[in-house]
Structures are given as C-alpha cells and as structure tokens.
Amino acid sequence: MTAQILYEQIGRLAARHQSTLKILVLVTKQSSFQAHRFCGIRYYSKMSVGESTNAPLLLRLVSEACTTANTAGSIVRKVLLSGELGVVDKGVNDLQTKADRCAQYYIVQRLKRCFPKATIIGEEGDDVSENLEGLLSPATTPPEPLFPEILNKSVPEKLLSISEENVVIWVDPLDGTQEFTKGLVGHVTTLIGIAVDARPVGGVIHQPFYEADGVKGRTMYGIPEVGHGGFTVTPPPEGKRIITTTRSHSNQRVEATLAALQPDEILRVGGAGHKAVLLIEGRAHAYVFASPGCKKWDTCAPEAVLVSIGGILTDMDGIPYRYSKDVEHVNQGGLLATAPGVDHSWYLKSIPK
Ligand SMILES: Nc1ncnc2c1ncn2[C@@H]1O[C@H](COP(=O)(O)O)[C@@H](OP(=O)(O)O)[C@H]1O
Ligand SMILES: [Mg+2]
Ligand SMILES: [Mg+2]
Ligand SMILES: [Mg+2]
C-alpha cells in the first residue's frame, strides 16, 4: 500500500469516526511518514508546501507562511467565539490572550516541522504549549497552498542561494491584542516575517476578521524584488497628510512628534500590521510611532510587504532595523513607515530631534 493510499484511507476513516483519530495519529507517527499532529484529518494525506515542491526556499517559506497564517486566523476566531479569552498582562499594558498562545503554538510547530533548520522567534516565547483540540478542523487546514502562484514566481539570483540555517522567522501570532480584548477585531492581524542576513525577504499579514463575499480572513504577502499578492495597492490621497499611530500605547513623545508633523488627520488604530495595511491600501500616508514599544515581530512582516510595493519602514532616524536571531527584540528607535510614493525623507527632516 502506498503512503498516499494509506493516508487517504486514514482520512476517510477518521472523518467517519472522529473518536479514532488519536489511535490513527499513533499509526502515522510510527510509520515513516510525517504527520502533522495538530491538524485535521485531510492534512495527514498530503505533505505541506514546505516539503513537497522544488521551488526556491524563499518561495516555499512565503507560501507556507501564508497557509499557516490563514489557519492561525481561524484559531483566533474560534477562541473569540468560545468566549474564554484567558487574558493575562505580561508587563504593563502588554496583554496576552488564549488566542495569542494557541495561534503561536500552531504557527511555530507547523513552521518548525516544515523548516527544521530555520530559527523561529515568536512574541509569546518558547514555552507556549496549548491544547488545540476543537480549534482545528479539516476545513481550516486545507492541504493546498493558499496562493499557488507564489511557487512559480521568478527569484533574483542572490535570493536563490538562501540556506535554511540562515533564515529567521519572526512570528506575531496576534498583533493588536489590546484591541482584540476590547472587541475591536478589525485591528487584529497575524504576522509572519522572514529574514535572511538580518533583513526582511518575505512577509505575511493575515487579517482574521476581514470578510468579503462570505469568505472570512484575508491573507496578504510581499516578497521584495519578487512580488506581492492578496491585496490591491492604492495610493493615498494627494494634497493631504494622513498619519496613523498607536491607539493604546501613546505617550508625550508620540504626541509631540505627531503635532510637529501637522497632519490633516490622525488615525489612531491598534496593531502594527493593521497600520501597515492602512498604508498599503492608501488610507494613510505614514505610520509614525516615536517611542520604543514595537518589537521585531511587529515590523518584520510589515516591512517586507511594504518594501515589496515600494514603501519604506525605518526607525525615527531613518535607520533600517535588523532582524538577525540575536538582535534586541525592542525597536528602540521607534517606527516611521511610509506608503509607496510618499516622501519618507520629508518625515525624517520634520521630526523634532
Ligand atoms: N509601550 C508598549 N508596551 C508593550 N507593547 C507595545 C508598546 N507599544 C507598542 N507595543 C506593541 O506593538 C504592537 C503595536 O502597538 P499599537 O497597537 O499600540 O500600535 C502591539 O503588539 P501586540 O498587540 O502584538 O502585543 C503592542 O503590544
Ligand atoms: Mg503582545
Ligand atoms: Mg504585535
Ligand atoms: Mg502580538
């Protein structure tokens, strides 16, 4: 019996008898096949894109990150529906919920299995371990890649020689936690940023609560010098200056900087990922946060997506952040990001020292 037939039979059996799933998982584990121990029945029957194609590593990473973020988003929705958020404060005004923990556990385990030599750094640390029972189903873990076209893109020579050992994946399982706990779910994103040689080479921003044509969740990706997808780039309105900034982590310096830039409008929203989406969709010209607070997992994916469409993300002095595995997590120099076509240097000049 081939692996494929065995898997398919297991899938059919398990679909009929949910209760036998645990026994079936043991069977697959003892065999020479790899099986994802969290995912639903159908997932056992196929390898994921991390393992199954000959496409360049960069493309397999982004493709897998898209599918993974999409499933993580369904976990976030299910935790919210359960009504048990399990909120804890990790510090001061630094919340974590069961959705952050479950989504991180799922993302990290899945990416580790697909890319065992890569370094994966998640916001919620290395000790997160959650029971995902009831949060995953065959419908939420489709084996097909979310964006099949990614694997066929052409990649510049210098990005073809990436080795898995040099990859650092920055995971923010739930960005905008503060807003999530207040029911402002439109501010929430799941972020997976991929860095090589300390710079972002790919990023995924997933919005679990975005809904269009009855489909829940939207996944966006960007690969600098290669392409982007899942969204339409819209330029921000000309002759206006719209700035987006934090909704829940402001301070005097943040406010003084905003005042100095004399914006026509300030959009105070949660999440670094959500603010990046406002730039991508032309709803704001710049994201300005003149304070430490954001971390590398907040900015790696947004920077990759922004750069892939001609935007820029730096600290408040115009210095790009580095994303190597041993880097300090906090973005001490604040955050200045601008939409494509917006003059980043004007903001740098106009920010008071
Ligand atoms: N003063 C602060 N303390 C802790 N986290 C902060 C912070 N300022 C910003 N952040 C983090 O940066 C991200 C964007 O913040 P904001 O929504 O205020 O713009 C959030 O990520 P998480 O929600 O993933 O923790 C938030 O926690
Ligand atoms: Mg957090
Ligand atoms: Mg975050
Ligand atoms: Mg987070």
Side-chain angles (χ1 to χ4, degrees):
M1 189 185 286
T2 67
Q4 187 63 36
I5 294 169
L6 178 63
Y7 276 138
E8 280 167 8
Q9 287 192 355
I10 289 171
R12 272 194 295 276
L13 260 174
R16 260 187 274 140
H17 307 285
Q18 286 283 340
S19 59
T20 60
L21 191 58
K22 275 182 189 142
I23 301 161
L24 293 164
V25 171
L26 276 176
V27 172
T28 58
K29 268 187 183 168
Q30 278 171 7
S31 69
S32 57
F33 322 129
Q34 281 183 292
H36 198 294
R37 70 188 166 107
F38 304 126
C39 298
I41 301 140
R42 275 205 290 154
Y43 197 69
Y44 289 102
S45 66
K46 285 190 183 177
M47 293 289 188
S48 66
V49 293
E51 303 151 329
S52 63
T53 85
N54 294 322
L57 176 61
L58 172 62
L59 301 181
R60 286 187 289 121
L61 280 160
V62 176
S63 178
E64 189 65 38
C66 285
T67 313
T68 303
N70 195 54
T71 300
S74 75
I75 293 175
V76 169
R77 287 194 299 271
K78 281 191 184 160
V79 173
L80 184 68
L81 269 178
S82 78
E84 283 170 36
L85 286 195
V87 183
V88 291
D89 199 339
K90 297 184 283 181
V92 180
N93 201 8
D94 193 6
L95 303 184
Q96 183 202 66
T97 72
K98 185 180 171 191
D100 302 56
R101 294 187 289 275
C102 289
Q104 163 145 333
Y105 189 49
Y106 174 75
I107 295 168
V108 171
Q109 294 305 310
R110 180 166 168 165
L111 294 179
K112 249 189 202 166
R113 190 177 67 88
C114 295
F115 307 105
K117 294 181 194 148
T119 302
I120 304 173
I121 304 174
E123 171 177 0
E124 311 311 338
D126 296 331
D127 304 330
V128 182
S129 170
E130 290 286 323
N131 180 2
L132 300 181
E133 226 171 295
L135 296 174
L136 285 166
S137 67
T140 60
T141 56
E144 300 82 21
L146 195 62
F147 296 103
E149 73 275 11
I150 293 178
L151 295 168
N152 297 321
K153 288 191 183 292
S154 52
V155 171
E157 193 72 28
K158 63 176 183 196
L159 295 173
L160 281 175
S161 53
I162 293 171
S163 75
E164 205 177 300
E165 290 87 341
N166 293 335
V167 171
V168 184
I169 306 176
W170 294 90
V171 177
D172 188 342
L174 198 162
D175 182 51
T177 304
Q178 183 78 234
E179 284 68 27
F180 181 64
T181 63
K182 295 191 158 51
L184 299 168
V185 295
H187 301 220
V188 169
T189 59
T190 293
L191 305 173
I192 303 180
I194 299 155
V196 172
D197 294 336
R199 296 290 300 139
V201 292
V204 174
I205 302 177
H206 173 79
Q207 295 176 291
F209 298 97
Y210 184 92
E211 198 166 338
D213 304 325
V215 179
K216 286 208 175 83
R218 171 168 69 159
T219 306
M220 294 166 265
Y221 70 86
I223 315 171
E225 297 179 59
V226 174
H228 64 270
F231 60 93
T232 309
V233 187
T234 312
E238 274 178 40
K240 267 188 114 176
R241 188 176 309 124
I242 306 171
I243 297 182
T244 184
T245 194
T246 181
R247 185 193 149 275
S248 55
H249 296 100
S250 194
N251 58 40
Q252 262 185 1
R253 189 149 41 129
V254 167
E255 295 306 317
T257 308
L258 290 169
L261 294 171
Q262 301 185 323
D264 295 297
E265 205 181 324
I266 300 178
L267 304 177
R268 295 177 191 274
V269 303
H274 180 44
K275 286 186 269 290
V277 173
L278 295 186
L279 298 184
I280 289 162
E281 298 198 314
R283 286 188 275 155
H285 297 77
Y287 170 5
V288 183
F289 183 56
S291 170
C294 290
K295 324 285 186 315
K296 297 295 177 292
W297 45 75
D298 290 304
T299 49
C300 187
E303 180 171 355
V305 179
L306 273 174
V307 170
S308 77
I309 58 168
I312 300 176
L313 188 152
T314 64
D315 73 6
M316 300 300 289
D317 291 319
I319 300 167
Y321 280 112
R322 298 187 64 74
Y323 295 90
S324 47
K325 63 180 168 195
D326 44 9
V327 79
E328 181 184 0
H329 291 165
V330 177
N331 290 343
Q332 293 290 356
L335 203 166
L336 171 65
T338 44
V342 172
D343 186 359
H344 198 81
S345 63
W346 179 87
Y347 286 84
L348 291 172
K349 282 195 307 248
S350 311
I351 288 163
K353 287 291 153 206

